[in-house]
Amino acid sequence: MPRPYVLLSVATSVDGYIDDASPQRLLLSNSDDFDRVDQVRAESDAILIGAGTIRADNPRLLVNSDKRRADRVSRGLPEYPLKVTISGSGDLDPAAKFWHHGGAKVAYTTDAGQERLSARLAGLADVVSLGPDIDFGKLLDDLGGRGVKQLMVEGGGSVHTAFLSQGLADEIHLAIAPLLVGDADAPRFLSPASYPGGSSRRMALAEARTIGDVVLLRYLPNLVSIK
């Protein structure tokens, strides 16, 4: 089966920071942009977040629109996209909201984490080992075998970094909010890594549009921009 089309979705401040899930939440998107993200979720077959995002944000990760969920069902799809996470250690809390809302879930882990996670998530998720280490290519192969055609990746930064540095991302949705954070300890969208082509390789810009006071940039990282 072909691998899914991988779409990375993130909102950042003008100076490149993402929400750090602190008690004073940094709300980067506006209501219209949150609705756009909900639409992309509804159009996707699976949504992926890392274990760190589950621990920090405790999200339900749902399609919130009743109409969009009904439209999915009318097309013969599950009401909710498949929810996916990754944990090499298997250190995930079965009480997290992620496991108790929406439809089917898959947790990818390593050989070392599989026993722990299988016991913790019994009846809550399908647990799949990717081998001695997290292999993102194998993860995509497995999702393709499950019929996933589009995978939406919502973070965190280490997950986004892995997909981009390994050349596995097909599209980036980068929403930039008119905020300056200026906190050296706040997380960023991406971590230092060896990215395909290095700093001289220009990605193709597919779209740039305003959504209220937010700017959405859509990049195609596997295509090279023509100057």
Side-chain angles (χ1 to χ4, degrees), residues 155-180:
S158 61
V159 174
H160 282 141
T161 298
F163 276 105
L164 279 170
S165 64
Q166 295 176 37
L168 299 174
D170 298 292
E171 185 170 340
I172 303 170
H173 287 191
L174 177 62
I176 302 176
L179 298 172
L180 294 171

Side-chain angles (χ1 to χ4, degrees), residues 98-164:
F98 183 90
W99 312 111
H100 301 281
H101 299 272
K105 294 97 179 169
V106 180
Y108 290 100
T109 186
T110 60
D111 292 342
Q114 185 175 28
E115 183 175 355
R116 171 192 289 182
L117 205 53
S118 294
R120 288 187 175 190
L121 300 181
L124 296 174
D126 188 6
V127 176
V128 178
S129 174
L130 297 172
D133 301 296
I134 295 295
D135 185 322
F136 283 82
K138 287 184 179 179
L139 181 152
L140 293 179
D141 289 337
D142 187 79
L143 288 175
R146 295 171 186 268
V148 173
K149 297 180 175 63
Q150 176 167 297
L151 171 66
M152 181 182 186
V153 180
E154 294 198 36
S158 61
V159 174
H160 282 141
T161 298
F163 276 105
L164 279 170

Side-chain angles (χ1 to χ4, degrees), residues 47-62 80-109 113-114 116-128 146:
I47 309 170
L48 185 152
I49 57 174
T53 301
I54 292 179
R55 297 185 196 107
D57 291 1
N58 196 21
R60 296 182 305 159
L61 205 71
L62 303 175
Y80 294 98
L82 178 70
K83 299 203 302 186
V84 182
T85 191
I86 309 167
S87 172
S89 67
D91 183 18
L92 287 168
D93 184 355
K97 294 177 183 177
F98 183 90
W99 312 111
H100 301 281
H101 299 272
K105 294 97 179 169
V106 180
Y108 290 100
T109 186
Q114 185 175 28
R116 171 192 289 182
L117 205 53
S118 294
R120 288 187 175 190
L121 300 181
L124 296 174
D126 188 6
V127 176
V128 178
R146 295 171 186 268

